[in-house]
Amino acid sequence: MDRSSDWLEWFLQKKIRTNKGYMVYKVVLILILLFQFNVHAGSDVSIAKSFEFKSKSLSENRTIVVSLPDGYESSNARYPVLYLLDGVQNLKHVVGSVDVLTRVGSIPPMIIVGIKSKNRMKDFTPTKMDGIEESGEGKAFLNFLGDELIPYIDNKYRTNKFRVLEGHSVAGLFTAYTSMESPDLFDAYIVMGPAFWWNKEEPVREVKSFLSTKPKFNKRIYFGVGKEDGNRHSLKRFVEEIKAAAPSQLVWKHEEFEDEGHMSAPLLNNYFALKFIFSDMELPQEVRDNFTSKKFLEHEFGIMKKYGSAARQPQEIYVPLAMELMKRKDYAGAVTVFRRNADAYEMNKYPQNYVWLAEALEKNKEPEEALKVYKQAYKLSKETGYGELERLTKKVAELKAQL
């Protein structure tokens, strides 16, 4: 196997940049950096566990499915929670998107709590509508979430209190209703193809007055819809009201997807919504351009405080940034970033993460620490079959001789 650092150095020499800062083609770094060694053939894969929850608010049992992030059992970390309406129907594609985005560092690891639907028109509609006798029980379902299910999840699992609510169609209607009826219950909302036509576009009429009374409404809300979805028209009118009255602290986005209808759009909606909701995790360009270890670590500690200690940047940010710092001869800064990269992606068991750190430590005139890290790289290389044992043995011997 060729040395990954050789490939990266070649790209650095080619000076692939934008005028705002350093950039390397994502596809190359994905292939180089995200090579995994911990796949176990023959093992069963389970994405969630289910249980019956007896609700007093609803006077019935509800099926709840819970998907825990990789590493949950072996860590002490606390995690954000995504509450997923129509949870059984949508679980597979949501777990898949969360898995991909978590592995590359675009979102933090999170707990997914899905709620199986029984009667959607009853649970997800906030008001009665003529012709639908069972409608209008949204308040009871909201009480179930706030008074029963969320306290239960917080007590049973290691949550960090950051909560996201996601819903599609009438569940999207309920998600928007929840943001206005109980704005402190969730921190972010994903509203997909919402049924804002409800009761002659009642939500469109209500959102302006709601926002006028909430000048410090500091939530993150994503609205997504397919361009072939008839619900896009009422959503567009809802969004126009937000444009006119949104408080300065409200962070929101509205996207329409070409060639997608009501039932096909949620896959894309969910993926891009998650990236948007957690977009504040990304290291600011100003920190990259005017790097100091202090500013870098302040940002990293900030995202871990907000989203849990397992939150991290993509390696596509850490590694090119540290390589650039090496070129600038800011070896102390490179050590800071490479160390964070190695710690954040420890579970990948990727020896090259430690080789990069050891090289930076050598340049920073820390031979004793470099020796320890080279030994870590050697051990991992042997365990995973990564190779390069001869080169790593030589480096260990060289440093021992120096010391």
Side-chain angles (χ1 to χ4, degrees):
M1 183 181 291
D2 291 334
R3 290 181 60 191
S4 299
S5 53
D6 292 340
W7 280 94
L8 282 167
E9 183 62 24
W10 183 82
F11 271 90
L12 287 167
Q13 290 169 358
K14 298 295 285 185
K15 296 181 180 178
I16 301 169
R17 300 173 181 276
T18 67
N19 58 1
K20 290 185 177 180
Y22 184 81
M23 182 179 74
V24 176
Y25 282 128
K26 284 189 175 182
V27 67
V28 177
L29 277 174
I30 289 171
L31 291 173
I32 293 173
L33 299 174
L34 302 183
F35 186 74
Q36 303 281 327
F37 295 91
N38 53 354
V39 176
H40 302 285
S43 60
D44 293 331
V45 176
S46 175
I47 64 171
K49 292 183 178 180
S50 66
F51 61 90
E52 293 298 307
F53 187 93
K54 187 174 183 179
S55 170
K56 293 180 180 179
S57 299
L58 302 176
S59 301
E60 61 186 17
N61 288 357
R62 284 302 173 100
T63 299
I64 308 298
V65 290
V66 177
S67 179
L68 298 176
D70 289 343
Y72 179 90
E73 298 297 341
S74 60
S75 80
N76 294 315
R78 292 188 171 274
Y79 300 91
V81 185
L82 171 62
Y83 285 86
L84 179 64
L85 304 178
D86 297 322
V88 173
Q89 175 181 326
N90 292 308
L91 184 69
K92 289 181 180 179
H93 81 83
V94 171
V95 168
S97 292
V98 167
D99 178 62
V100 170
L101 292 171
T102 298
R103 279 190 283 115
V104 300
S106 294
I107 66 173
M110 67 182 69
I111 298 167
I112 301 170
V113 177
I115 304 134
K116 184 177 181 179
S117 296
K118 276 196 170 182
N119 186 329
R120 301 174 78 245
M121 282 297 176
K122 175 184 176 183
D123 289 340
F124 299 149
T125 54
T127 54
K128 281 277 188 184
M129 190 166 102
D130 290 344
I132 305 179
E133 183 62 31
E134 59 205 2
S135 62
E137 295 298 317
K139 181 62 175 175
F141 191 80
L142 180 55
N143 290 339
F144 159 65
L145 287 180
D147 298 339
E148 299 183 89
L149 184 59
I150 288 174
Y152 175 84
I153 295 296
D154 284 345
N155 184 60
K156 184 174 178 61
Y157 300 99
R158 295 194 311 274
T159 66
N160 78 339
K161 308 303 182 183
F162 188 91
R163 305 187 196 109
V164 184
L165 180 64
E166 175 173 341
H168 170 244
S169 195
V170 286
L173 168 68
F174 176 84
T175 301
Y177 159 74
T178 299
S179 72
M180 293 185 277
E181 181 68 19
S182 188
D184 295 328
L185 194 55
F186 294 92
D187 301 281
Y189 303 86
I190 299 174
V191 181
M192 305 180 297
F196 284 165
W197 47 263
W198 186 258
N199 262 338
K200 299 179 181 179
E201 299 193 353
E202 184 177 63
V204 179
R205 298 194 301 273
E206 291 182 347
V207 65
K208 184 176 180 179
S209 60
F210 166 76
L211 292 175
S212 67
T213 65
K214 296 290 180 181
K216 295 183 179 180
F217 189 58
N218 60 344
K219 306 299 179 179
R220 301 179 77 89
I221 307 179
Y222 178 92
F223 301 98
V225 69
K227 281 198 172 182
E228 296 179 9
D229 185 346
N231 287 351
R232 65 184 284 260
H233 304 293
S234 55
L235 172 57
K236 190 172 182 179
R237 287 186 279 274
F238 186 94
V239 166
E240 289 299 324
E241 295 294 345
I242 293 181
K243 285 181 182 178
S248 59
Q249 296 181 59
L250 175 63
V251 181
W252 64 281
K253 187 173 186 178
H254 171 231
E255 283 190 296
E256 295 186 345
F257 291 85
E258 296 282 355
D259 303 318
E260 302 297 340
H262 186 64
M263 297 307 295
S264 64
L267 176 66
L268 293 172
N269 291 167
N270 173 75
Y271 179 86
F272 288 104
L274 289 169
K275 292 189 74 171
F276 169 74
I277 294 298
F278 296 102
S279 58
D280 61 336
M281 284 179 54
E282 185 173 350
L283 189 67
Q285 192 65 48
E286 189 277 330
V287 176
R288 301 186 220 185
D289 292 342
N290 302 290
F291 181 89
T292 67
S293 290
K294 182 176 182 291
K295 288 191 290 187
F296 172 79
L297 291 174
E298 282 176 351
H299 177 80
E300 296 299 289
F301 291 143
I303 65 173
M304 287 189 285
K305 182 178 179 180
K306 184 175 182 180
Y307 299 126
S309 59
R312 63 198 179 187
Q313 300 291 316
Q315 286 194 282
E316 295 156 287
I317 289 178
Y318 289 141
V319 176
L321 173 60
M323 289 289 188
E324 177 66 13
L325 292 169
M326 292 283 281
K327 289 190 72 173
R328 297 181 201 168
K329 298 186 178 181
D330 181 357
Y331 302 126
V335 167
T336 298
V337 180
F338 276 137
R339 193 183 298 281
R340 170 67 174 140
N341 174 67
D343 290 345
Y345 288 91
E346 180 182 8
M347 77 295 296
N348 286 4
K349 297 186 176 181
Y350 187 40
Q352 187 61 44
N353 287 337
Y354 298 91
V355 173
W356 284 321
L357 174 56
E359 290 171 346
L361 286 163
E362 275 193 276
K363 291 285 189 180
N364 202 42
K365 298 182 179 179
E366 299 181 63
E368 291 185 7
E369 189 64 23
L371 176 59
K372 292 179 186 177
V373 178
Y374 272 125
K375 286 180 177 179
Q376 285 180 277
Y378 178 89
K379 182 181 178 182
L380 273 179
S381 187
K382 194 172 183 179
E383 288 177 2
T384 62
Y386 177 73
E388 306 250 3
L389 292 178
E390 183 178 346
R391 182 172 71 88
L392 292 171
T393 301
K394 183 179 178 181
K395 288 300 303 183
V396 168
E398 286 177 1
L399 285 172
K400 282 184 175 178
Q402 289 179 29
L403 297 170

